[in-house]
Amino acid sequence: MNPQDPPVHALTIGQALERLATDSGGLNSAEAGRRLDEHGPNRLPSPPRDGFLKRFARHFQDILILILIGAAGITAVLGHWLDTGVILGVVVINAIIGFIQEGKAEAALAGIRKMLSTHAQVLRDGRWQQIDAELLVPGDIARLKSGDRVPADLRLIETTNLSIEESALTGESVPSDKHSTPVAAEAGIGDRHDMAYSGTLVATGRGIGIVTATGARTEIGRINRLIAEVETLQTPLTRQMAVFSKQLSAIIVGLALLMLAIGIGLHDFPVGEVFLAAIGFAVAAIPEGLPAILTITLALGVQRMAQRNAITRKLTAVETLGSVTVICSDKTGTLTKNEMTARHVITRAGNYLVSGTGYAPQGDITLDGRLVELAGHAHLHALIEVVAIANDTHVAEAEGQWRVAGEPTEGALRTLAHKAGFSGDSHTRHATIPFESANKFMATLASTPAGLQRILLKGAPDRLLDRCAEELGADGHTVPLDRAWWEREIDRLSREGLRVLAAAARRVDAGRRHLSIDDLDSGMVFLGLVGIIDPPRPEAIQAIASCRAAGIRVKMITGDHAGTAHAIGIEMGIGGAESLKVVSGPELEAADDAQLRQIVRDCDIFARTSPEHKLRIVKALQANGEVVAMTGDGVNDAPALKRADVGVAMGIKGTEATKEAAEIVLADDNFSSIERAVEEGRTIYDNLQKAILFILPTNGAQGLVMLVAVVFGLTLPLTPVQILWVNMVVAITLALALAFEPAEPGVMERPPRRPGTPILDNLLMGRVLLVSLLIGGATLVMFEIELHFGMPLDIARTMAVNTLVIAQACYLFNSRFLKTSSLRLSLLFTNGAAWLATGILLLLQLGFVYLPFMHTWFGTAPLAARHWLVPMMIGLLVFLLIEAEKVVVGHLVRR
């Protein structure tokens, strides 16, 4: 197609047939085969997938892990095979943990492929036949009926009461009525009423259309390409850890080279011994247990989030939620229930308000604040009778949820009748004029329990007003129709984002059994209006308020109309002002990237958006430095979900494509679960911060001991395998206990941390340095004093290991609270895991000291009881000094 040619939805039927080189009789088999060779099968291409080994190898790409692998290589060259085995064992264990926990990360395209129809009714060789949908080609004539999934993109040429559920593509709450009349070339996908798109679902009626696009060229194929082309960003945690790893690696390598230079040049140590000391320093300084601690902490967070109905597909997404600054949410099915609900009934007797949401028949009808009974309100009874009897839809409870069988808007009217206590079982229907998009009404001829026969008419207000000359007045008598008054009420309801339907009726002679459109041209009495909306989830309103209190902006991005989006936004408290501007798709289309960055700063509601618009909005927010969570349930949300820092999909009503593009899936489709997940994410980040703050002094103290020993030509207090023992037992037991810390008070009352903020601020890094000096210095002094008084080297080294381990165990209780005192009896036992970990550590350390095979592996020796006292005293002293540091620093900060 020439780019200047109008799109197919803007062409007449004749022009569309001509462009696709076909006619209403369809293609023959030979031509269809030729076109199949030219265009390929009607399926989406499968993306290449990394193999098992490549995915496993990705877990060795951290620079600190690479340094450890290098250290293992050097120890192997030097013939220290035990050291080599222990170092490589730690590296492989870390990689296995990461590989298992991450699971599969890329299956969004497979989810979209599942949406495609498997069979199609096609006109080939002059007769209708069923074929595999993959064999459809452009120019085929295909047939649709209620319940079918559309097999390809079609330009409709015939329709009979056809409506198609397109919410997965457009975000609209109700099925789109279809016809064969061309629409404007610039019409958005939700306004192309002469098109049926691949993967959408026929709600009612029948239709015939020309296949205009297949496979990757369809609208769903275009979204598929968008997902494939979207670049995913690193999470804040991975960015921070990457920076931290590079900085730490540079320092470690630099100091190790300095040790080599000093050991060889200044002290003339043997080269092999100096290399082993440098490796010992590197192993001591690298927190090799940190990747495992991060992974396990995140995995525990995943389990806790699952208990709160948030299923996590990617570990780092748990923590990223804690740093989110903006949540972009789809409207339909996310902020709202995607269940149409009658809110207002307008008659000349007054404006009746209807409570309750969704299809559950639970709620009240009130007038001026007073509960009403149907028997005492003739106006309401007359209107309810129409919407209940002229209605082919049913609602029923299944598996604890009320579901609609039929058209959603009629489902809302059926539920309204149930709330009013009107069943209609005693009425008898004799004839019906079904709803058609050309007429926009439905009429029924029915007998009432009193034996009266009435024509009951419901439909679009303008169509009914055209057919009525009278209305049911306030006194219960018919009076001339005041059309201007009704149009003002229709406009008022429409401005509030409600879909408006009208009801009318008239009596006819008893015994009639037929009904025609001509019977509706005279005598109809206008009864009133019903305002219907896809209601907000009540719990989502509270969740949005909580997000605002936590400093998180919520933006609504929907494919629905601007008026509906504005009304829902006000009701949900998004933006907070009735004058809040709603930005529509055409405005987004016209804005360049710089203008869009300003728009997303100023505006919180976006309507009539396409998948590309949603993706651009997310990118613009990220360009402004925001950490973005995107929620949604339709295929049209999938590209933006994949690009967002955290993609959140709805588990019940979400499409497979959306779930697979997301990092987090909400099992209950509840927006409030996002707010709880953000709270969990912040708690997890706090616990990661505590774990890093705790584990770094272990490495700092050991690194200091090794560095000072080499620089000053002293005996090495620790061997590389002893260092690994300390690192691993401290990480596996003590650091892991911090993952179980409960949320700090006020965790959802503080603003999100700013992107780019280091994991540990200057004050906390100062504490790491202080604890490293205290523990490392005490260990070195104790080791030198014991050697001076003639203690054997293996016993002195065993005492050095004990000093490091016990001091870290005491420091664990400092680290449970970052900046507040740990000397509070009420909080001492809130984390039982800390005490359990300390007990396990003590058992491991007893085995390290007294088991003979441990002596062989690690070069240790048994200690006398008195040898435990000094490490315990050092540990207690470290604890008290750090508590004093918290008090002093806190006082200085408050000043």
Side-chain angles (χ1 to χ4, degrees):
M1 187 182 85
N2 190 310
Q4 280 73 43
D5 290 343
V8 69
H9 58 261
L11 301 179
T12 65
I13 293 172
Q15 291 170 330
L17 289 166
E18 182 180 350
R19 174 176 292 180
L20 290 153
T22 188
D23 58 39
S24 57
L27 303 174
N28 58 48
S29 296
E31 177 61 16
R34 188 193 67 77
R35 295 190 185 195
L36 185 64
D37 292 338
E38 178 184 349
H39 296 280
N42 178 32
R43 62 169 180 258
L44 299 178
S46 299
R49 180 170 171 80
D50 290 338
F52 171 87
L53 291 177
K54 188 172 182 180
R55 284 183 283 127
F56 185 67
R58 280 200 293 262
H59 294 274
F60 295 91
Q61 292 175 356
D62 184 278
I63 190 166
L64 292 174
I65 297 297
L66 293 175
I67 292 175
L68 279 179
I69 293 172
I74 294 173
T75 56
V77 170
L78 294 173
H80 294 269
W81 295 107
L82 179 61
D83 293 6
T84 304
V86 173
I87 294 171
L88 287 179
V90 169
V91 169
V92 172
I93 288 169
N94 278 329
I96 290 172
I97 291 173
F99 182 76
I100 291 173
Q101 291 289 354
E102 288 290 346
K104 63 176 186 177
E106 289 296 328
L109 307 182
I112 284 188
R113 286 193 292 275
K114 290 179 184 176
M115 291 189 61
L116 298 182
S117 174
T118 55
H119 296 95
Q121 285 280 331
V122 65
L123 186 58
R124 290 260 181 98
D125 300 319
R127 61 185 178 86
W128 289 104
Q129 50 188 290
Q130 181 169 292
I131 65 170
D132 192 314
E134 289 193 1
L135 301 179
L136 280 177
V137 295
D140 264 328
I141 304 297
R143 184 164 64 183
L144 303 173
K145 67 180 186 303
S146 179
D148 285 351
R149 197 171 288 282
V150 180
D153 286 1
L154 307 178
R155 167 63 168 90
L156 297 169
I157 58 176
E158 288 182 28
T159 61
T160 304
N161 193 27
L162 181 65
S163 66
I164 297 180
E165 166 61 60
E166 296 180 330
S167 64
L169 283 178
T170 66
E172 291 213 38
S173 312
V174 296
S176 175
D177 294 331
K178 297 296 183 179
H179 54 66
S180 58
T181 307
V183 298
E186 63 274 9
I189 187 171
D191 298 317
R192 298 174 192 169
H193 299 294
D194 60 339
M195 295 292 296
Y197 288 105
S198 178
T200 58
L201 191 66
V202 179
T204 61
R206 303 183 305 278
I208 296 175
I210 318 162
V211 175
T212 60
T214 58
R217 297 177 183 85
T218 60
E219 186 68 23
I220 203 169
R222 187 176 60 80
I223 296 174
N224 181 72
R225 288 197 304 276
L226 271 179
I227 295 174
E229 292 164 4
V230 167
E231 295 181 6
T232 53
L233 300 182
Q234 284 187 310
T235 68
L237 180 65
T238 55
R239 287 195 294 266
Q240 290 172 326
M241 289 306 298
V243 171
F244 173 75
S245 297
K246 289 176 183 175
Q247 291 172 343
L248 186 60
S249 300
I251 293 170
I252 291 169
V253 172
L255 289 175
L257 292 174
L258 179 64
M259 286 178 66
L260 283 171
I262 291 174
I264 296 171
L266 189 61
H267 298 298
D268 199 26
F269 289 154
V271 173
E273 186 178 325
V274 176
F275 260 109
L276 202 59
I279 289 169
F281 167 76
V283 171
I286 291 174
E288 57 276 326
L290 188 56
I293 289 300
L294 291 178
T295 302
I296 293 168
T297 303
L298 292 171
L300 290 170
V302 166
Q303 292 176 0
R304 289 202 297 267
M305 286 180 67
Q307 294 167 3
R308 306 179 88 168
N309 294 311
I311 299 163
T312 306
R313 299 183 61 249
K314 191 172 183 181
L315 279 183
T316 50
V318 182
E319 177 279 329
T320 308
L321 267 178
S323 60
V324 160
T325 59
V326 174
I327 299 175
C328 294
S329 178
D330 181 40
K331 177 185 73 69
T332 306
T334 307
L335 295 173
T336 65
K337 294 175 70 70
N338 200 14
E339 296 178 354
M340 303 303 288
T341 303
R343 281 281 182 85
H344 295 271
V345 178
I346 309 273
T347 71
R348 276 300 194 175
N351 181 357
Y352 296 88
L353 301 180
V354 186
S355 65
T357 59
Y359 300 122
Q362 296 153 2
D364 299 318
I365 302 176
T366 58
L367 179 63
D368 298 328
R370 293 189 298 274
L371 197 66
V372 302
E373 296 291 339
L374 204 58
H377 292 263
H379 294 75
L380 180 64
H381 185 282
L383 184 144
I384 294 288
E385 180 183 43
V386 172
V387 301
I389 303 304
N391 192 326
D392 292 327
T393 294
H394 299 278
V395 294
E397 189 176 15
E399 299 177 358
Q401 282 194 318
W402 283 84
R403 303 184 186 277
V404 62
E407 209 275 327
T409 302
E410 287 202 338
L413 298 176
R414 177 68 66 193
T415 299
L416 171 64
H418 286 319
K419 290 176 181 177
F422 184 93
S423 68
D425 292 340
S426 301
H427 286 65
T428 304
R429 281 174 43 162
H430 303 297
T432 298
I433 299 174
F435 179 91
E436 291 191 11
S437 55
N439 296 328
K440 294 190 179 298
F441 59 71
M442 175 183 179
T444 296
L445 175 64
S447 298
T448 70
L452 302 176
Q453 285 208 183
R454 293 160 58 82
I455 296 174
L456 310 176
L457 176 67
K458 79 169 195 315
D462 58 329
R463 302 300 176 93
L464 268 63
L465 287 170
D466 290 343
R467 295 177 179 275
C468 295
E470 295 179 312
E471 64 184 54
L472 188 62
D475 59 0
H477 297 94
T478 57
V479 297
L481 180 72
D482 184 352
R483 181 167 184 144
W485 186 87
W486 289 109
E487 287 178 341
R488 286 195 298 273
E489 290 298 305
I490 293 166
D491 288 342
R492 180 177 65 81
L493 293 175
S494 298
R495 283 196 302 272
E496 292 177 15
L498 279 80
R499 186 180 189 190
V500 185
L501 292 180
R506 77 177 177 95
R507 287 180 59 177
V508 296
D509 297 335
R512 285 190 60 172
R513 293 295 183 268
H514 65 276
L515 183 62
S516 70
I517 290 181
D518 292 339
D519 295 322
L520 311 177
D521 288 339
S522 62
M524 300 302 298
V525 177
F526 198 86
L527 301 177
L529 305 169
V530 181
I532 299 172
I533 197 167
D534 179 12
R537 296 174 177 270
E539 64 276 9
I541 297 174
Q542 179 57 45
I544 288 172
S546 298
C547 287
R548 189 183 297 115
I552 301 169
R553 284 183 77 177
V554 178
K555 296 181 183 289
M556 182 167 69
I557 308 175
T558 178
D560 218 333
H561 294 277
T564 304
H566 186 264
I568 293 292
I570 292 169
E571 190 166 351
M572 304 215 67
I574 297 175
E578 290 201 19
S579 59
L580 185 70
K581 177 178 172 57
V582 177
V583 181
S584 65
E587 293 175 82
L588 294 172
E589 201 74 49
D592 60 26
D593 290 345
Q595 291 169 327
L596 186 59
R597 287 180 63 177
Q598 188 59 45
I599 288 171
V600 298
R601 280 194 192 98
D602 300 337
C603 302
D604 290 332
I605 300 180
F606 302 86
R608 302 308 277 169
T609 54
S610 68
E612 291 92 342
H613 296 150
K614 294 184 179 188
L615 183 57
R616 284 190 69 205
I617 290 168
V618 170
K619 286 182 176 179
L621 286 165
Q622 289 172 332
N624 287 342
E626 307 285 1
V627 179
V628 182
M630 174 76 194
T631 78
D633 62 352
V635 178
N636 58 331
D637 301 317
L641 258 68
K642 186 176 178 185
R643 171 67 188 205
D645 296 281
V646 186
V648 183
M650 302 297 109
I652 298 173
K653 294 181 179 174
T655 61
E656 284 300 312
T658 314
K659 294 175 196 174
E660 297 297 345
E663 286 83 18
I664 292 174
V665 179
L666 301 184
D668 58 354
D669 282 14
N670 195 329
F671 184 87
S672 64
S673 295
I674 300 172
E675 180 258 333
R676 294 196 297 269
V678 169
E679 178 183 349
E680 189 65 48
R682 290 188 174 189
T683 302
I684 289 166
Y685 185 79
D686 285 350
N687 292 347
L688 286 176
Q689 213 176 12
K690 292 171 186 177
I692 293 170
L693 180 67
F694 168 74
I695 209 168
L696 286 184
T698 303
N699 304 97
Q702 293 172 115
L704 178 68
V705 166
M706 300 297 286
L707 182 63
V708 170
V710 170
V711 168
F712 291 98
L714 306 175
T715 303
L716 294 179
L718 303 164
T719 65
V721 289
Q722 288 173 345
I723 290 166
L724 276 175
W725 167 264
V726 175
N727 286 356
M728 291 311 294
V729 296
V730 166
I732 289 171
T733 56
L734 299 183
L736 187 57
L738 293 170
F740 294 90
E741 283 292 324
E744 299 258 354
V747 70
M748 285 299 284
E749 295 171 11
R750 67 192 191 208
R753 71 178 188 277
R754 287 175 298 180
T757 304
I759 295 176
L760 301 181
D761 59 25
N762 291 335
L763 291 176
L764 294 179
M765 283 304 297
R767 185 180 302 166
V768 169
L769 182 60
L770 175 61
V771 176
S772 300
L773 289 171
L774 286 174
I775 296 177
T779 301
L780 193 60
V781 169
M782 182 275 303
F783 177 77
E784 288 298 323
I785 290 173
E786 295 292 351
L787 282 184
H788 178 73
F789 285 105
M791 179 177 282
L793 180 59
D794 54 354
I795 296 178
R797 281 178 169 168
T798 305
M799 278 191 69
V801 171
N802 267 8
T803 302
L804 287 168
V805 169
I806 293 172
Q808 281 293 126
C810 294
Y811 176 58
L812 170 73
F813 293 90
N814 297 120
S815 301
R816 287 189 56 207
F817 302 96
L818 292 171
K819 295 178 181 178
T820 57
S821 175
S822 300
L823 289 169
R824 289 174 288 177
L825 190 61
S826 61
L827 298 176
L828 196 59
F829 297 99
T830 54
N831 183 2
W835 292 98
L836 178 63
T838 304
I840 292 172
L841 177 67
L842 181 59
L843 289 175
L844 289 172
Q845 204 58 29
L846 286 170
F848 178 81
V849 173
Y850 296 112
L851 292 177
F853 72 88
M854 298 293 271
H855 301 161
T856 304
W857 288 2
F858 292 98
T860 56
L863 300 177
R866 68 178 183 83
H867 294 147
W868 290 86
L869 292 176
V870 173
M872 288 180 178
M873 291 175 61
I874 291 172
L876 182 60
L877 181 63
V878 168
F879 175 79
L880 294 175
L881 286 173
I882 298 305
E883 287 303 302
E885 179 261 349
K886 286 184 187 179
V887 174
V888 172
V889 170
H891 178 69
L892 292 175
V893 169
R894 285 192 293 273
R895 288 180 59 188

